[in-house]
């Protein structure tokens, strides 16, 4: 059947070929489209690289047939992928069953696995929407649109393009003006029509609709969308007479439902709306009639009611009830079967390809006959054929041409048989052989092919159109040539973009598809998001996308880590669509990968990352447990997983969810069941899921009744016996045994051990595996070239049994090694060698005699040939004569007398280091302040470092101070900076100094030559404190100070600042005086000071930058310098000495008299006069000031109140307020107002003073006795 003449070239776009399911086929086309495009552009038949256009044309024409066949495979491939996609468990309640189903389905072999993996390579790729392109219809309503009277009519038409397309509609072949219909509007930026039927009858909008999307690059058209209203006509009224029938006779109850649209669903019920029971005796035919092969007395009833349900109108109609009365007067004779449907010996039936074939045979007879089916010319399709209505209907889905032929149904009872033959003819509406034509993107000057390959019965006609106009009526294009179902484009040019329609039709239907040709000239771009992170489990395939677009088609190249990191072609594979596949991912494959898309117009890079994760494995599986009712049981499930993956533990019971019972306690690695009941018995499964993988293990729980404990004696089990080896193979063997007595404690597990008498002495037993205590066999995986002897130990709750007797020795054949040495390293011990080391294989890993190693190396980046040597009985090899610190690729392969291990992985190393041969360049210094400088340099090129860069060292030293009085300093200092620094800071410098420095690079061998020595000067800073401060020539009102300049001048001295202030008896500081001194001054005399007064001095030096720290000192002025001088002169005279002795004697006598008078109660009025005699200017003397001498830094002083600069000494106040000075001071005698002689206490005061100043190193001053003498005068 051809499309209607008025729209013969505007027929529907295409139909869905049901390869898997409706959803699978839609996604499958997208997957297949991506595979055909090769991950680059619209069509695989135009995958030209940077080659000549003529060569590309010839190549693509040859590939056309290949792609047609390959696409058929890809259609099936996507079905496999869709089925595999549902294997990952989602619902915990079904996870256990799902896992087992997944494992069974995945046992299809490596080929099935590869098909599933290749599904990853298929992904829909469109022209980026920022590029010019003709319209493409992305969504449209189905061909048959049945109106829902309760909702608005929505006819979808969505399209994309650049610029965005405009939309228009036709109805019944004529233009449909949306603006003229008040109840119709078109969605914004869309072609979707919305019809409001709430105010108008729906049948007004029935018809055939078609959408057109156009922009300046072309026109695309949608399917013919037939919009129809559902109809559910009423049942015609009729009066049905009761049916009276003899028992055993056949009966037909007609239904004849009204013809509606869509056809109704028919069923029979009674007055209570209960379905009438059916069987092989009573059944409903395809047209709805109810047949009785023979009636029985119980078939009598008056409510046989036929119902017709119309789903789209949500209505159900019923026929008038039929009354059946069965008579039992005369018995009916039994009879052989005869067919009532069909009633003729043979019939014919035509069915369309892909549709459903239903054939029925209904027979009557007594007893009830049985129906069977067979295909005369072959066998029934097992996967597509099914039987309905108690074998009376044969149903075959997805019919193909192979289903044509003769089918025979047979009715049989004990009296005979009846046959009916159905001749089935299979016709076909047009269907795609490969896929619908696909969009084509070409660069100017390229060639391409559009193919519209379909089949049908009878053979369909093919018509081509461009932008909705028959191609023969379209503008001529010299680059276009139409050949039946193919359009060939040669040397296309800009401006040739268009949308082509392919219309395929025969008497049973038609197909129509859009495919655009877009001529673009675009540099490459990678559409895969940058820095995408791919995660994969170790030892699994890894797939990394590089979805690209460009015109001409970009060429995809992959690198690892850098543009120089080429990939091994044996372990890596780049697919046509740019996807990089690593066949077996290992940890070393982790890292950054770069895919480069390049064509004649440019180049584009994209980076992705691969993370190879460790697999999730259950290390300790739950074990079979036998538990008494009421006890507790614990199932352990310890798991190892990649630390970066988040695990989720799930427990199942009998492949379903755990009971919702608080007795079941799920921990991170265990399941505990408390208070066990009989219902808890079953199989428990732990499942550990991560985002990438999972693992599971199961164990059975058996619950037994509680037995009296007094009569039970638990002991360790007896050892197993009768060990036997069966199913002996090269790498495995089956071990069976008979368990020993359990001694009332069930065996939890059996431990299988082995002894290797070939590589070890007898008696060295090793654990091989463990099995559940419920098993008596174990399948043991073995290594080649081992002499195995096995034994078994039983374990129960009481302990481990004695070992069983050893089995017979089983010798495995030698074989080539399965693995290569690990920990392969390359390093140098001298500047001209390379030491290759590895971890040798053990005896079990050797797999055979004559183990040695093939050591291979070559210098990296030179593409040189591998050099190989054979090494035996060693794990190290030294390569001599190598270049200094050159990168090498290294491989170590295990070899024995039976062959070599698999190709080893490439390790990387460097030959030995040597001292660097170059110094840093462009060395310079920047002075930041007077004590800090920053050194900069250009790093040494890696080739000149000749080793692993450890860092840089800065040597610097102070040449001298810039002051003329300071000498030279040559002590060097070193600062070390690790890694690849290019600058460093030098702290702790001396101001106003000249520094020299150089920089050296160092590696693992040592440091290289120094750079040229550079110098820099630090600016001035504040000076240090003066070297010393000394008080000299203390007088009554003056003091002299001497000092020495600072040791660290740190610049040019501008002078000194002297500050001083008095200190009173309370240690409080008086007003401060400041004196500026010249830079060349080293002493000063301060005049007009107060006598007998302590002063504190602060002296600091200053430069242009500022003042430095101060040095402090304290001193005291004397009482009367002249008197002190005379006293010293008189003391040298003899007469003075005699006088002093007489005065002392007199004072002694007076003291005795005073003492006697005091004991008698006498009083002297002297105390009152002493209180009245107070000098307000008097400063008490301190115990250390009994003599006035030069101030010494060694004296201790008490801190002074109000002092700004603390002193290292302390000033102590005299413990006594009484002294000779209180009563006589200076050179004049003191008298009271009454003329009494106050000096009578002088002797006592003097003696007390002398007693309180024992530390004085000076001779006792005669000034006190002299004052007493003056008092007498």
């Amino acid at each position: 059947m051809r499309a209607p003449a008025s729209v013969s070239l505007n027929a529907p776009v295409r139909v869905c070929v049901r390869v898997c399911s409706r959803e699978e086929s839609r996604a499958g086309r997208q997957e297949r489209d991506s595979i055909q495009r090769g991950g680059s552009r619209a069509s695989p038949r135009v995958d030209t690289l940077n080659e000549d256009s003529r060569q590309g044309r010839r190549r693509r024409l040859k590939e056309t047939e290949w792609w047609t066949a390959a696409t058929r495979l890809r259609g099936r491939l996507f079905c496999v992928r869709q089925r595999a996609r549902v294997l990952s468990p989602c619902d915990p309640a079904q996870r256990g069953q799902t896992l087992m189903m997944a494992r069974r389905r995945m046992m299809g072999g490596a080929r099935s696995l590869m098909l599933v993996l290749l599904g990853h390579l298929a992904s829909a790729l469109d022209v980026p929407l920022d590029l010019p392109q003709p319209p493409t219809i992305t969504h449209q309503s189905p061909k048959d649109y049945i109106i829902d009277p309760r909702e608005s009519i929505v006819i979808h038409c969505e399209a994309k393009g650049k610029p965005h397309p405009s939309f228009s509609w036709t109805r019944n072949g004529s233009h449909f003006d949306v603006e003229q219909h008040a109840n119709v509007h078109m969605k914004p930026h869309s072609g979707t029509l919305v019809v409001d039927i709430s105010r108008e009858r729906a049948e007004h909008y029935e018809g055939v609709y078609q959408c057109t999307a156009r922009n300046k690059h072309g026109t695309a058209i949608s399917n013919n969308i037939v919009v129809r209203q559902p109809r559910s006509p009423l049942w015609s009224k009729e009066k049905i007479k009761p049916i009276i029938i003899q028992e055993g006779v056949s009966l037909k109850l007609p239904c004849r439902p009204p013809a509606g649209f869509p056809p109704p669903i028919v069923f029979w019920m009674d007055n209570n709306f209960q379905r009438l029971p059916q069987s092989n005796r009573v059944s409903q035919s395809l047209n709805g009639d109810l047949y009785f092969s023979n009636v029985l007395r119980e078939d009598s009833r008056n409510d046989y009611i036929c119902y017709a349900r119309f789903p789209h109108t949500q209505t159900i109609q019923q026929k008038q009830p039929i009354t059946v009365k069965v008579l039992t007067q005369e018995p009916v004779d039994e009879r052989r079967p005869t067919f009532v449907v069909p009633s003729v010996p043979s019939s014919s039936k035509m069915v369309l390809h892909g549709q459903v074939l239903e054939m029925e045979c209904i027979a009557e007879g007594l007893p009830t006959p049985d129906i069977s089916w067979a295909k005369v010319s072959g066998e029934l399709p097992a996967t597509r054929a099914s039987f309905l209505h108690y074998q009376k209907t044969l149903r075959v889905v997805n019919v193909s041409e192979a289903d044509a032929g003769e089918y025979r149904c047979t009715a049989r009872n004990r009296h005979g048989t009846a046959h009916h033959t159905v001749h089935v003819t299979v016709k076909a509406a047009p269907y795609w052989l490969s896929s619908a034509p696909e969009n084509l993107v070409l660069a100017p000057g390229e060639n391409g092919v559009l193919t519209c390959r379909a089949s049908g019965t009878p053979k369909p006609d093919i018509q081509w159109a461009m932008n909705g106009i028959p191609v023969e009526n379209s503008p001529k294009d010299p680059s276009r040539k139409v050949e039946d179902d193919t359009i060939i484009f040669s040397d296309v040019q800009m401006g040739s973009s268009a949308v082509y329609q392919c219309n395929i039709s025969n008497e049973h239907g038609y197909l129509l598809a859009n495919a655009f040709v877009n001529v673009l000239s675009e540099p490459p771009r990678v559409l895969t998001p940058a820095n995408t992170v791919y995660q994969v489990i170790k030892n699994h395939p890894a797939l990394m996308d590089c979805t690209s677009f460009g015109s001409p088609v970009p060429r995809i190249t992959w690198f690892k880590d850098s543009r120089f990191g080429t990939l091994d072609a044996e372990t890596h594979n780049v697919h046509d669509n740019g996807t990089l596949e690593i066949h077996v991912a290992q940890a070393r494959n982790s890292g950054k990968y770069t895919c480069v898309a390049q064509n004649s117009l440019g180049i584009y890079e994209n980076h992705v990352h691969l993370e190879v994760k460790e697999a999730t494995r259950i290390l300790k599986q739950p074990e079979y447990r036998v538990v008494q009712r009421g006890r507790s049981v614990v199932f352990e499930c310890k798991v190892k997983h990649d630390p970066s993956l988040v695990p989720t533990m799930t427990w199942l019971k009998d492949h379903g969810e755990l009971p919702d019972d608080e007795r079941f306690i799920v921990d991170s690695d265990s399941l505990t069941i408390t208070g066990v009941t009989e219902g808890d018995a079953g199989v428990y499964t732990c499942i550990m899921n991560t985002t990438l993988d999972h693992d599971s293990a199961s164990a059975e729980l058996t619950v037994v009744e509680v037995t009296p404990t007094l009569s039970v004696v638990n002991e360790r089990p007896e050892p197993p016996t009768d060990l036997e080896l069966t199913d002996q193979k090269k790498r495995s063997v089956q071990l069976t045994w008979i368990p020993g007595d359990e001694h009332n404690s069930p065996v939890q597990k059996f431990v299988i051990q082995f002894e290797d008498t070939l590589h070890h002495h007898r008696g060295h037993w090793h654990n091989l595996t463990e099995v559940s205590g419920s098993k008596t066999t174990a399948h043991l995986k073995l290594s080649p070239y081992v002499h195995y002897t096995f034994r078994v130990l039983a374990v129960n709750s009481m302990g481990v049994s004695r070992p069983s007797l050893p089995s017979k020795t089983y010798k495995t054949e030698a074989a080539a090694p399965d693995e290569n040495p690990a920990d392969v390293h390359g390093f140098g011990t001298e500047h001209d060698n390379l030491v290759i080391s590895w971890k040798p294989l053990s005896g079990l890993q050797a797999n055979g005699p004559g183990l040695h190693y093939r050591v291979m190396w070559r210098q990296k980046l030179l593409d040189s040939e591998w050099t190989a040597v054979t090494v035996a009985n060693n794990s190290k090899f030294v390569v001599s004569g190598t270049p200094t610190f050159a990168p090498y690729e290294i491989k170590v392969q295990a070899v024995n007398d039976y062959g070599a291990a698999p190709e080893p992985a490439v390790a990387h190393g460097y030959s030995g280091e040597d001292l660097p041969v170059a110094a840093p360049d462009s060395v310079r210094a920047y002075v930041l302040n007077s004590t800090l400088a920053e050194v900069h340099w250009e790093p040494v090129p890696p080739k000149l470092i000749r080793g692993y860069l450890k860092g840089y060292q800065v040597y610097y030293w102070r040449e001298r101070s810039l002051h003329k009085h300071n000498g030279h300093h040559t002590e060097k200092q070193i600062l070390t900076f690790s890694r690849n620094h290019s600058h460093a800071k030098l702290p702790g410098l001396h101001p106003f100094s000249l520094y020299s420095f150089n920089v050296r690079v160092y590696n693992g061998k040592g440091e290289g030559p120094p750079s040229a020595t550079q110098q820099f000067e630090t600016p001035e800073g504040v000076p240090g404190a003066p070297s010393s401060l000394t008080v000299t020539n203390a007088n009554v009102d003056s003091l002299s100070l001497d000092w020495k300049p600072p040791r660290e001048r740190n610049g040019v001295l501008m002078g000194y600042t002297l500050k001083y202030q008095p200190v009173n008896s309370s240690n409080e500081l008086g007003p401060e005086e400041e004196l500026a001194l010249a830079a060349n001054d080293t002493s000063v005399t301060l005049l007009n000071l107060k006598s007998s007064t302590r002063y504190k001095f602060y002296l600091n030096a200053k430069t242009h930058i500022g003042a430095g720290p101060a040095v402090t000192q304290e001193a005291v002025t004397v009482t009367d310098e002249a008197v002190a001088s005379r006293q010293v002169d008189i003391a040298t005279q003899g007469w003075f000495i005699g006088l002093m002795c007489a005065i002392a004697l007199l004072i002694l006598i007076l003291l005795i008299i005073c003492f006697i008078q005091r004991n008698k109660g006498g009083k002297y009025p002297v105390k009152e006069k002493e209180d009245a005699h107070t000098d307000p200017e008097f400063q008490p003397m301190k115990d250390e000031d009994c003599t006035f001498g030069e101030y010494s830094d060694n004296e201790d002083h008490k801190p002074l109140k109000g002092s700004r600069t603390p002193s290292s000494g302390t000033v102590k106040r005299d413990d006594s307020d009484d002294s000779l000075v209180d009563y006589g001071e200076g050179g004049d005698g003191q008298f009271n107002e009454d003329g009494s002689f106050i000096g009578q206490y002088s002797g006592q005061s003097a003696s007390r003073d002398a007693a309180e100043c024992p530390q004085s190193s000076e001779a006792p001053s005669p000034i006190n006795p002299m004052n007493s003498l003056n008092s007498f005068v």
Side-chain angles (χ1 to χ4, degrees), residues 251-437:
L251 174 63
K252 168 188 172 183
L253 298 183
C255 179
R256 292 191 293 272
F261 176 78
I265 299 172
V266 178
F267 51 93
W268 289 80
M269 294 197 299
D270 59 17
N271 279 331
N272 297 323
F273 298 101
Q274 299 296 319
R275 285 187 178 270
L276 295 175
Q278 297 188 23
S279 62
N280 63 337
R281 184 179 66 85
V282 181
S283 61
Q284 177 181 316
S285 66
L286 295 177
N287 66 358
D289 295 341
L290 187 65
Y291 286 88
F292 296 77
S293 294
N294 51 79
V295 296
L296 301 177
R297 182 172 54 184
E298 56 265 26
D299 295 331
S300 296
R301 60 191 308 157
N302 59 1
D303 57 353
Y304 285 94
I305 306 173
C306 182
Y307 288 85
R309 181 167 66 89
F310 298 88
H312 285 79
T313 60
Q314 300 295 313
T315 58
I316 298 178
Q317 298 186 34
Q318 72 175 61
K319 189 175 182 176
Q320 292 294 324
I322 301 176
T323 301
V324 174
K325 184 177 181 181
V326 179
L327 302 178
T328 59
Q329 297 176 352
E330 297 179 2
V332 176
D333 295 336
E334 294 185 353
R335 58 191 178 277
R336 61 183 298 166
T338 58
F339 283 107
V340 293
V341 176
S343 58
V344 294
S346 64
S347 61
S348 62
K349 194 174 188 65
M350 190 275 290
V351 64
L352 293 180
H353 175 92
Q355 293 186 351
V356 178
L357 169 64
E358 287 186 329
M359 298 172 286
E360 67 176 348
C361 286
I362 300 176
E364 65 89 16
L366 189 67
T368 302
D370 296 322
I371 306 297
S372 61
W373 289 87
K375 187 177 182 183
V376 178
S377 56
E379 295 182 357
L380 294 175
T383 59
R384 295 182 291 113
S386 60
F387 301 100
L388 307 175
H389 305 143
Y390 305 96
Q391 299 289 109
K392 297 176 185 179
T393 301
L394 172 62
R395 177 185 175 93
V396 180
V397 299
N398 195 18
V399 171
S400 66
E401 285 78 359
D403 296 323
E406 290 188 357
Y407 292 82
R408 176 178 296 171
C409 64
T410 302
R412 179 183 290 106
N413 65 11
R414 60 174 173 260
H415 296 290
T417 59
H419 302 281
H420 177 82
T421 303
V422 182
H423 300 273
V424 175
T425 303
V426 178
K427 301 289 185 179
Y431 60 92
W432 301 113
L433 287 177
S434 55
S435 64

Side-chain angles (χ1 to χ4, degrees), residues 334-634:
E334 294 185 353
R335 58 191 178 277
R336 61 183 298 166
T338 58
F339 283 107
V340 293
V341 176
S343 58
V344 294
S346 64
S347 61
S348 62
K349 194 174 188 65
M350 190 275 290
V351 64
L352 293 180
H353 175 92
Q355 293 186 351
V356 178
L357 169 64
E358 287 186 329
M359 298 172 286
E360 67 176 348
C361 286
I362 300 176
E364 65 89 16
L366 189 67
T368 302
D370 296 322
I371 306 297
S372 61
W373 289 87
K375 187 177 182 183
V376 178
S377 56
E379 295 182 357
L380 294 175
T383 59
R384 295 182 291 113
S386 60
F387 301 100
L388 307 175
H389 305 143
Y390 305 96
Q391 299 289 109
K392 297 176 185 179
T393 301
L394 172 62
R395 177 185 175 93
V396 180
V397 299
N398 195 18
V399 171
S400 66
E401 285 78 359
D403 296 323
E406 290 188 357
Y407 292 82
R408 176 178 296 171
C409 64
T410 302
R412 179 183 290 106
N413 65 11
R414 60 174 173 260
H415 296 290
T417 59
H419 302 281
H420 177 82
T421 303
V422 182
H423 300 273
V424 175
T425 303
V426 178
K427 301 289 185 179
Y431 60 92
W432 301 113
L433 287 177
S434 55
S435 64
E438 296 164 338
N439 295 333
L440 197 60
V441 179
L442 298 175
E446 284 193 324
N447 311 321
V449 175
L450 280 181
T451 301
C452 187
R453 191 151 297 169
S455 182
T457 306
K459 183 179 179 181
D461 296 329
I462 299 176
Q463 290 183 327
W464 286 94
M466 185 183 79
N467 296 329
I469 302 173
V471 70
E472 56 269 16
N473 299 333
S474 301
K476 299 300 181 182
D477 187 350
S479 65
R480 181 183 66 221
K481 182 180 180 181
V482 180
E483 294 183 355
D484 193 21
D485 61 356
T486 303
I487 300 181
I488 302 173
F489 298 92
S490 304
D491 193 21
V492 298
Q493 300 300 321
M494 299 296 291
S496 299
S497 299
V499 182
Y500 289 85
Q501 288 82 32
C502 170
N503 185 3
I504 304 176
S505 61
N506 65 10
E507 61 190 59
H508 300 294
Y510 64 90
L511 297 174
L512 188 140
N514 294 282
F516 67 64
V517 175
N518 196 13
V519 181
L520 289 175
S521 181
E522 284 293 325
R525 63 176 74 178
V526 176
L527 305 180
T528 300
N531 296 313
T532 300
V533 178
Y534 295 92
Q535 295 182 334
V536 68
I537 295 298
K538 183 179 178 181
N539 295 324
H540 284 67
L543 297 166
M544 290 174 282
D545 294 329
C546 185
T547 305
S548 62
F549 182 84
S551 184
V553 178
R555 179 172 58 90
I556 303 300
T557 309
W558 283 87
F559 301 95
K560 186 177 186 298
D561 297 329
S562 68
R563 291 290 296 272
F564 301 101
T566 57
L567 302 178
D568 187 354
E570 295 184 0
T571 59
H572 299 75
N573 181 32
V574 179
H575 293 273
D576 292 340
N577 67 347
T579 296
L580 174 64
E581 178 182 2
I582 302 175
H583 303 308
V584 182
Q586 301 294 329
R588 63 178 180 271
N589 298 127
S590 297
K592 182 177 76 172
Y593 288 79
T594 301
C595 80
V596 179
Q598 183 176 9
N599 66 10
S600 59
L601 301 179
I603 187 171
Y604 192 101
E605 289 189 5
N606 190 52
H607 304 290
V608 297
H609 302 269
L610 176 63
E611 296 177 357
V612 180
K613 306 293 186 179
E614 291 293 331
T616 301
R617 292 289 179 266
I618 295 179
L619 302 179
K620 182 174 179 57
Q621 300 183 0
E623 299 175 347
Y624 170 74
R625 303 300 298 270
V626 177
V627 179
Q628 294 179 348
R629 182 168 53 86
R631 298 288 184 88
S632 297
V633 65
V634 178

Side-chain angles (χ1 to χ4, degrees), residues 663-674:
R663 296 183 301 107
F664 290 79
I665 303 172
V666 177
D667 204 350
S668 60
D669 56 2
S670 65
L671 169 65
T672 303
I673 308 174
T674 60

Side-chain angles (χ1 to χ4, degrees), residues 9-10 133-137 159 165-168 211-222 465-469 497-501 512-516:
L9 296 176
N10 297 324
Q133 55 185 291
T136 299
I137 294 179
S166 60
F167 298 88
S168 62
C211 173
T212 301
R214 59 170 54 87
N215 65 13
K216 65 180 181 180
H217 301 295
T219 301
I221 55 180
S222 73
M466 185 183 79
N467 296 329
I469 302 173
S497 299
V499 182
Y500 289 85
Q501 288 82 32
L512 188 140
N514 294 282
F516 67 64

